[in-house]
Amino acid sequence: PYKINEDLTLKNRVVLAPLTRARCVGNIPGLPHHVEYYVQRASAGLIITEGTAISIQGDGWDQCAHIYAPEHVEGWKKVTSAVHEEGGAIFVQLWHTGRVSHSSFHGLQPVGPSAIAANGIAHAKDGLKAPYEVPRALDIEEIPKIVEEYRHAAQSAKDAGFDGVEIHAANGYLLDQFIQSHSNQRTDKYGGSHENRARLLNEVIDAVLTVWPSSKIGVRINPNGNFNDMGATDYYETFAYVLKQLDKRNLAYAHVMDGVAFGFHGHGEPFRIADVRKFYNGTLLANCGYSKDKAEGVLETGTVDLVAFGRVFISNPDFVLRIKNNWPLADPAPFSSFYEYPGEDPAVGYTDFPLYSA
């Protein structure tokens, strides 16, 4: 067990990593297959949901979940209550995709810190693949509205019965776009120095703190990733600064993608757990490419406190029981099932992976 705050002791140190699965038909959570997916994986010490859009403009993935309208709250209530009935704990990941959204989702020009398009192909609506659009640089007067959207989503999460929230500041989405000099070339108080580029993240944390105590807020970062065309030459200094800021917050955890299995920008050596611990002393959730043996190693040394597993949980909904009992793992799920499903049934490749049977 691991005590994450005064109200929540996790039954084990295995975390279900946030996984975009594109199964929320109409962006509404809580349909039967969606509830079942999380119930099947409730043996994890903590579930972190898929990235969940905090606003219409924040949506950047087909059939992703939303969390800002009453119908979203009601849908998520079905998920949280079912997970709690299974003895599980669940945080929602608050997500704004920023410049890597696409106008096909909402009829709006994507927004970002600067009018710099990401290189690559966007996952647009209805399976359309199209080049990333040039985003509109947010006016400084608009930024408080973005911060308020995070606060409102955090309140919606509380109303929906979540145990806490994770602020997604990784993988080339809006907050990460502001943090990294590669995508942020502003000349106002949100650009330039490490302090300025981290300002929006700090303001979002402050806003969420009006709803949740710090011990129920996690923050996810990825110093190493190149996903969504990220990676800046000053990555080490930037994320050292961000971690120092997070260290002051007494968070539920910092969720750091220290591995390179999700891609590596190559601007120097990877930012490892030893580097993280130079700047951050709180509860640390490590993620990206961990095996059972590697996870046990870092947990036994006390280097990290929790380890998140992602893709292995897709085809092994009972992953915790399999590693506890040394049962073999199922074959990996085909990549084709990660974000899409054949035909009309979203449960296919989602909730139809069997539990272990001797």
Side-chain angles (χ1 to χ4, degrees):
Y2 183 78
K3 188 173 183 178
I4 204 164
N5 58 50
E6 290 301 318
D7 300 322
L8 182 59
T9 298
L10 307 183
K11 56 193 173 186
N12 57 63
R13 295 175 184 247
V14 175
V15 176
L16 171 60
L19 293 168
T20 298
R21 300 299 313 280
R23 298 305 204 279
C24 283
V25 180
N27 306 117
I28 302 296
L31 295 173
H33 66 278
H34 191 233
V35 175
E36 179 64 16
Y37 173 80
Y38 285 111
V39 166
Q40 288 177 344
R41 291 154 182 82
S43 57
L46 177 65
I47 289 170
I48 307 171
T49 72
E50 66 223 81
T52 303
I54 64 165
S55 67
I56 293 172
Q57 192 162 46
D59 184 351
W61 204 282
D62 220 8
Q63 298 193 25
C64 76
H66 289 189
I67 189 161
Y68 52 86
E71 59 268 29
H72 307 146
V73 173
E74 292 306 308
W76 277 119
K77 282 180 179 177
K78 298 173 186 177
V79 175
T80 60
S81 62
V83 167
H84 290 150
E85 285 175 13
E86 294 294 320
I90 183 167
F91 279 34
V92 65
Q93 188 187 68
L94 304 181
W95 192 31
H96 192 306
T97 59
R99 70 173 184 166
V100 295
S101 182
H102 192 270
S103 59
S104 60
F105 290 112
H106 36 59
L108 303 167
Q109 185 179 3
V111 295
S114 303
I116 302 170
N119 290 313
I121 301 297
H123 297 267
K125 193 168 179 63
D126 298 328
L128 174 71
K129 300 292 192 295
Y132 286 115
E133 297 167 315
V134 177
R136 180 176 61 78
L138 283 163
D139 290 335
I140 196 165
E141 294 81 10
E142 295 178 280
I143 290 178
K145 179 178 180 287
I146 299 286
V147 174
E148 168 57 21
E149 288 172 348
Y150 276 97
R151 188 211 62 79
H152 176 73
Q155 182 64 57
S156 297
K158 196 170 193 177
D159 296 343
F162 282 100
D163 297 296
V165 297
E166 177 177 287
I167 298 167
H168 195 353
N171 297 346
Y173 298 115
L174 182 67
L175 297 178
D176 196 24
Q177 293 160 24
F178 269 83
I179 288 168
Q180 297 208 45
S181 60
H182 174 71
S183 45
N184 181 348
Q185 296 182 11
R186 300 176 73 96
T187 56
D188 59 15
K189 68 177 184 178
Y190 292 95
S193 67
H194 305 311
E195 177 184 5
N196 283 356
R197 286 185 275 117
R199 188 181 303 278
L200 179 56
L201 173 59
N202 275 315
E203 290 180 352
V204 167
I205 296 171
D206 287 340
V208 174
L209 279 167
T210 67
V211 178
W212 294 91
S214 61
S215 60
K216 297 183 180 181
I217 301 170
V219 175
R220 190 187 209 200
I221 61 172
N222 185 356
N224 296 321
N226 64 354
F227 187 70
N228 284 326
D229 188 29
M230 295 308 287
T233 55
D234 62 345
Y235 72 101
Y236 195 95
E237 298 83 0
T238 295
F239 285 99
Y241 178 83
V242 169
L243 285 162
K244 289 175 185 176
Q245 294 298 300
L246 298 182
D247 193 49
K248 301 173 183 178
R249 295 289 194 165
N250 191 30
L251 298 171
Y253 58 81
H255 182 176
V256 182
M257 298 177 72
D258 65 294
V260 296
F262 203 58
F264 179 49
H265 50 63
H267 294 301
E269 293 298 316
F271 205 108
R272 299 298 194 185
I273 288 300
D275 298 298
V276 176
R277 282 303 192 197
K278 293 175 185 175
F279 312 110
Y280 180 80
N281 299 301
T283 294
L284 179 57
L285 167 56
N287 176 225
C288 203
Y290 277 82
S291 64
K292 171 180 178 286
D293 291 342
K294 183 180 178 183
E296 287 178 343
V298 294
L299 290 169
E300 286 172 3
T301 63
T303 313
V304 305
D305 304 292
L306 305 164
V307 177
F309 296 86
R311 293 178 178 181
V312 70
F313 255 116
I314 296 177
S315 59
N316 296 275
D318 55 348
F319 175 65
V320 171
L321 290 174
R322 290 184 189 241
I323 58 176
K324 180 179 179 181
N325 294 295
N326 288 314
W327 296 339
L329 297 178
D331 291 337
F335 185 80
S336 60
S337 72
F338 285 12
Y339 312 115
E340 300 174 353
Y341 50 91
E344 301 297 319
D345 186 359
V348 174
Y350 190 58
T351 57
D352 55 358
F353 292 99
L355 305 180
Y356 177 74
S357 177

